[in-house]
């Protein structure tokens, strides 16, 4: 195999104002320098687009630095080592790393994780076996302090994280799991995945739909959406209910300051716990996560969906479409 001297990559052309548009991105060709000691050149085969990336496109202080204008974007990717100066990472090794949005990446040996594609396809390490999987697992069990017998409500339940939250809750002994999604097809898929009830949030006020699905209330709300969903959940939560605040995708592209839940006062009388989290807080749960997830996958007890787009040049549209709910499960770009 000839070693490339250039690669194609997506850079942030301008910071989005509201919804991202294709004009916020630019496809460029970049030179690939010679490898230094203990580095690898990776040919990326799959890359991830995730909701959190929208926040990094704003020039605001957050738990991760913002993307820089005119610099390549970053994100999870899996690829094959095609050149190496690292003895532990020979050519042919498949690795997971954080320099997606480009066809090739040069990384230090300490910046990659070897993955086994005989156990699961490369894309699984961007979804169920990767960051979204651990987010679902740790968010439910640690952030939301799930207990067997709980009634659990998940918003954005057909996405990469939400679908796993519902299934893990059932496997861990939830008495009832309810999910919300944005299309009839996604609602039907949630029922196939074992959710006890699911509803389309376009069919009417979320609180009305939630009360129909859980007339006796809920104990846990896993929030991927924010906004009206969070307000409805606060009304439906029982005494000592818990909320895991994972995401607020309904607000990511808003140009106006979002209104807070109008019923937050209910958290006082109901003794509610609202806990925001990012997955890095629970990195020490990875071994526990893998020990649970691997057998469930092998036994067919845990299922996952993926939506694919092809080509680095289509990555911006894949990202925009993901924010709009075009994906079922994990949105993956094949390179």
């Amino acid at each position: 195999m000839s070693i490339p001297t250039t690669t194609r990559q997506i850079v942030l052309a301008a910071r989005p104002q509201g919804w991202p548009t294709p004009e916020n991105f630019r496809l460029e060709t970049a030179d690939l320098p010679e490898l230094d000691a203990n580095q690898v050149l990776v040919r990326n085969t799959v890359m991830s687009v995730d909701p959190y990336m929208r926040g990094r496109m704003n020039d605001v202080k957050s738990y991760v630095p913002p993307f820089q204008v005119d610099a390549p974007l970053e994100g999870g990717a899996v690829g094959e080592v095609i050149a190496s100066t690292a003895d532990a990472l020979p050519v042919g090794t498949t690795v997971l790393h954080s320099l997606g949005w480009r066809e090739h990446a040069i990384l230090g040996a300490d910046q990659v994780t070897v993955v086994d594609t005989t156990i699961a396809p490369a894309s699984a390490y961007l979804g169920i076996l990767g960051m979204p999987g651990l987010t679902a697992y740790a968010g439910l069990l640690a952030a939301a302090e799930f207990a067997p017998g709980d009634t659990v409500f998940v918003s954005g339940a057909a996405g990469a994280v939400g679908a796993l939250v519902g299934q893990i809750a059932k496997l861990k002994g939830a008495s009832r799991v309810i999910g919300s999604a944005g299309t009839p097809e996604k609602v039907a898929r949630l029922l196939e995945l074992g959710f006890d009830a699911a509803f389309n949030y376009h069919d009417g006020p979320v609180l009305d739909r939630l009360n129909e699905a859980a007339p006796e209330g809920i104990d846990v709300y896993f929030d991927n959406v924010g906004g009206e969903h969070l307000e409805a959940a606060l009304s439906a939560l029982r005494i000592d209910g818990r909320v895991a605040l994972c995401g607020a995708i309904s607000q990511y592209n808003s140009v106006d300051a979002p209104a807070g839940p109008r019923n937050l006062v209910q958290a006082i009388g109901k003794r509610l716990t609202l806990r925001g989290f990012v997955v890095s807080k629970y990195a020490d749960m990875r071994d526990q996560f893998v020990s649970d997830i691997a057998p469930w996958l092998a036994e067919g007890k845990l299922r996952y969906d993926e939506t694919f787009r092809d080509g680095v040049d289509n990555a911006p549209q894949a990202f925009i479409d993901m924010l709009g709910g075009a994906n079922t499960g994990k949105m993956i770009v094949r390179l």
Side-chain angles (χ1 to χ4, degrees):
M1 175 188 295
S2 62
I3 305 302
T5 58
T6 62
T7 192
R8 297 193 304 162
Q9 61 188 21
I10 301 293
V11 305
L12 184 64
R15 297 196 184 281
Q17 301 298 316
W19 276 92
T21 68
E23 290 70 32
N24 295 125
F25 306 89
R26 185 171 65 248
L27 178 65
E28 291 187 346
T29 298
D31 291 331
L32 291 170
E34 295 286 332
L35 296 183
D36 290 333
N38 212 34
Q39 285 189 322
V40 291
L41 172 61
V42 178
R43 178 180 63 82
N44 289 334
T45 55
V46 287
M47 57 159 275
S48 178
V49 290
D50 298 288
Y52 80 88
M53 295 174 178
R54 177 62 186 86
R56 293 192 68 187
M57 293 176 185
N58 298 330
D59 190 13
V60 295
K61 186 177 180 179
S62 184
Y63 62 93
V64 286
F67 292 130
Q68 297 302 303
V69 174
D70 295 325
L73 297 165
E74 298 177 358
V78 177
E80 178 187 358
V81 174
I82 59 172
S84 175
T85 57
D87 292 340
L89 298 166
V91 170
T93 306
T94 302
V95 295
L96 169 70
H97 62 86
S98 62
L99 293 185
W101 293 87
R102 64 202 80 189
E103 293 176 326
H104 303 83
I106 292 177
L107 303 113
D110 61 347
Q111 295 176 297
V112 304
T113 301
V114 176
V115 298
D116 186 351
T117 55
T118 66
I119 296 173
S123 58
Y125 292 94
L126 300 176
I128 192 168
L129 294 176
M131 179 270 289
L134 182 58
T135 299
Y137 184 89
L140 177 69
L141 300 185
E145 300 178 4
F146 170 84
D150 280 346
T151 294
V152 178
F153 172 45
V154 188
S155 60
V161 172
L164 296 179
V165 171
Q167 293 180 81
I168 293 168
K170 291 296 289 184
L171 289 164
K172 288 288 189 179
S175 62
R176 186 167 176 79
V177 175
I178 302 107
S180 72
T183 69
E185 293 78 14
K186 289 181 179 181
V187 168
R189 180 57 177 160
L190 293 178
L191 298 176
E192 291 174 357
L193 292 176
F195 283 66
D196 296 290
F199 62 85
N200 184 340
Y201 61 81
H202 294 299
D203 286 347
V206 173
L207 180 57
D208 291 349
R209 303 286 79 77
L210 181 56
N211 284 338
E212 291 169 1
E216 297 180 5
I218 61 176
D219 302 291
V220 167
Y221 172 48
F222 195 105
D223 189 18
N224 292 306
V225 174
E228 184 188 358
H229 277 79
L230 177 56
E231 186 169 287
L234 290 171
S235 290
L237 280 158
R238 297 193 276 238
I239 299 294
D240 292 325
R242 288 90 65 206
V243 179
L245 298 167
C246 179
I249 198 167
S250 69
Q251 299 170 13
Y252 288 164
N253 298 301
S254 175
V255 295
D256 300 316
R262 294 166 296 180
N263 57 345
L264 190 57
V265 68
Q266 293 196 31
I268 301 170
K270 292 183 179 181
R271 308 190 304 249
L272 303 180
T273 298
L274 283 70
R275 178 176 287 127
F277 76 100
V278 293
V279 67
S280 57
K281 175 180 174 65
Y282 300 113
D284 59 352
M285 291 183 68
R286 175 161 291 280
D287 288 346
Q288 177 187 334
F289 160 69
V290 171
S291 69
D292 268 349
I293 293 291
W296 288 338
L297 274 175
E299 296 165 14
K301 294 180 178 178
L302 195 61
R303 292 175 286 171
Y304 64 98
D305 295 314
E306 296 172 317
T307 300
F308 289 100
R309 300 292 170 81
D310 291 303
V312 70
D313 49 326
N314 287 320
Q317 192 61 52
F319 173 72
I320 293 167
D321 290 347
M322 177 273 303
L323 290 176
N327 57 301
T328 299
K330 185 76 187 74
M331 180 70 91
I332 301 285
V333 180
R334 290 181 290 220
L335 303 173

